[in-house]
Amino acid sequence: MADGDRIVIVGAGVAGLRAAERLRELGFDGEIVVVGDEARRPYHRPMISKQLVMGAARPPDTTLRAYGDLDVHWRLGTRATHLDTVERVVHLPGGEALWYDGLVLATGVVPRHLPGSPRHDPRVRVLRTIDDALAVRHCLHASNKPAVVIGGGLIGNEFAASMRHLGRDVTLVGHAKAPLHRFGSRISDAVVKLHKEHRTKLAMGSEVRHWISTDDTVGLHLTNNKLLVASCVVLAIGSVPAVDYLRGSGLDVEDGVLCEPTLFAEGADDVVVAGDLARWPNLRFDEVPRRVEHWINAVESARAAAENLIAGRSAAMPFAPLPRAWSTLYDVRLQMAGMPSLGEDTVSLADGITGFIHAGRLVGITAWDKPRAMLDWTAELDRRLPVPDYTPVAPAPVDAWSEDEQFDTDERFDTQEFYAEFADELGTVQDYAR
């Protein structure tokens, strides 16, 4: 990338924001255009199922701040309609064609639809955006009937906990035998116990057989023959990559965008992918491309994607993080590191710490209210899963950059500096250990 070039970022979430920020940090002086389908500036999405839906925060409180002068052109409330990688153009509504020299794809995911659910009913909602949270709050204020959340993942459990903090009756419905079962039986058993202590009702191992909409409530007839009556129903059954605008672009969008280890889109020299949208091989684990839907991964991958776009595909370095995530349920800290989903078996590493084993190797850990021990085990996992040597796709052109312009690999990721700089969205190391 050179002065006078234009980099377009499609996606105005945290990944898009941090990619733009990193481009400026690296001295890119060209034009940056950020295209986002929501009319809002980037905001802290994890607050939606917690502080925002409880009314403990207002929409302005969720806005993410930039850590420097971005000098970008915001195209908010604008949905990309098609990508032409041959002509290097992002098509926008109204026939507008936005050309680019470099492109960052960061459109993330959209909530998965539950077949048969009456999405035309304003009391049946997903929980992805600020507007979704405000709509849920409106439903809760309109009736004192219980709330229902369908889905036993993190968002479903967070929403259920938020309802109990508000003193609202809530039922969590899930087809799995226990909430958060993918975190291992020790964690899921602890979650069940915690929900029961806070009088959250669970309807696990069941699904919705029939929906009944009335003037005042929404009824759900479950496969276990229970009938639930709700003021509001939240659908939290997972998500799918937002790739509709990429179909026909030549990119592989079977599950997100297929990328090389460097986050360059497979077969494209000027397109990188960041956040939940990227499906890439994390070489710490193996060469199988996978997506990672975690907030910290969105931030780190965005910065790495920006670095590699500036460096160029031939000089790009692999993005091989140790995935990390955490949440809080009823003031209890739940943490994850590595790739527990790869585990074929589990082992108790310590009180409250579960290890996940794949091919005889520790590949992931989860912790239940053991943050300090989790720090030690995360460091141990980092030691056991080193980043292998990587050979770039081709030698970097000798005259591509002057000596003064050479990309400084020493500027790449520094963990302590990163945590200090992004303490408000990642939590400081001390907060992570609290």
Side-chain angles (χ1 to χ4, degrees), residues 138-380:
H138 176 76
C139 292
L140 294 172
H141 284 307
S143 171
N144 60 2
K145 292 290 192 297
V148 171
V149 57
I150 301 176
L154 274 176
I155 291 179
N157 282 274
E158 289 170 352
F159 177 77
S162 297
M163 292 301 95
R164 293 307 300 143
H165 277 300
L166 292 175
R168 297 293 295 251
D169 289 336
V170 61
T171 299
L172 189 152
V173 179
H175 64 81
K177 63 180 180 179
L180 296 182
H181 68 285
R182 64 189 178 90
F183 284 84
S185 61
R186 296 175 182 86
I187 298 294
S188 61
D189 289 347
V191 172
V192 169
K193 180 180 178 181
L194 191 63
H195 277 316
K196 290 182 177 179
E197 289 174 355
H198 287 81
R199 299 193 300 279
T200 297
K201 297 177 182 178
L202 299 177
M204 303 306 299
S206 62
E207 300 178 6
V208 181
R209 177 177 290 160
H210 300 296
W211 294 82
I212 307 165
S213 294
T214 69
D215 292 340
D216 300 324
T217 60
V218 178
L220 300 88
H221 181 208
L222 305 184
T223 52
N224 63 6
N225 286 328
K226 289 185 178 180
L227 178 64
L228 304 179
V229 178
S231 62
C232 177
V233 180
V234 169
L235 307 179
I237 58 171
S239 55
V240 295
V243 296
D244 286 352
Y245 69 104
L246 298 175
R247 301 192 188 282
S249 65
L251 302 180
D252 185 329
V253 294
E254 181 180 353
D255 177 27
V257 178
L258 178 63
C259 300
E260 298 170 356
T262 59
L263 298 178
F264 269 90
E266 190 73 42
D269 290 334
D270 45 22
V271 181
V272 293
V273 191
D276 300 350
L277 189 66
R279 177 165 58 97
W280 91 105
N282 186 334
L283 299 182
R284 278 184 186 259
F285 300 91
D286 52 33
E287 296 184 358
V288 178
R290 300 182 182 89
R291 293 189 305 110
V292 176
E293 293 186 29
H294 297 319
W295 180 265
I296 296 175
N297 180 73
V299 174
E300 293 179 349
S301 66
R303 293 172 64 82
E307 291 174 1
N308 283 335
L309 185 61
I310 293 295
R313 183 165 174 259
S314 62
M317 298 300 293
F319 176 58
L322 186 68
R324 295 153 345 267
W326 62 272
S327 183
T328 302
L329 300 176
Y330 307 106
D331 300 322
V332 174
R333 181 65 63 92
L334 171 64
Q335 293 168 273
M336 181 280 295
M339 297 282 284
S341 60
L342 300 182
E344 302 163 331
D345 199 2
T346 61
V347 60
S348 178
L349 300 175
D351 181 30
I353 307 289
T354 300
F356 292 76
I357 308 300
H358 176 76
R361 185 174 64 152
L362 184 67
V363 294
I365 49 179
T366 58
W368 181 254
D369 211 25
K370 297 293 180 180
R372 294 195 178 279
M374 185 65 171
L375 280 178
D376 295 334
W377 277 106
T378 299
E380 174 64 16

Side-chain angles (χ1 to χ4, degrees), residues 78-138:
T78 303
R79 183 184 297 274
T81 59
H82 179 63
L83 171 64
D84 187 333
T85 55
V86 176
E87 296 295 329
R88 304 200 325 196
V89 168
V90 177
H91 291 274
L92 305 180
E96 182 180 359
L98 185 63
W99 61 266
Y100 64 84
D101 297 290
L103 179 65
V104 181
L105 300 177
T107 44
V109 295
V110 293
R112 188 182 297 276
H113 173 62
L114 179 64
S117 60
R119 290 296 302 276
H120 58 278
D121 191 320
R123 296 162 300 186
V124 179
R125 315 293 310 191
V126 294
L127 201 53
R128 176 69 180 172
T129 68
I130 287 178
D131 290 338
D132 291 333
L134 296 178
V136 168
R137 283 190 54 77
H138 176 76

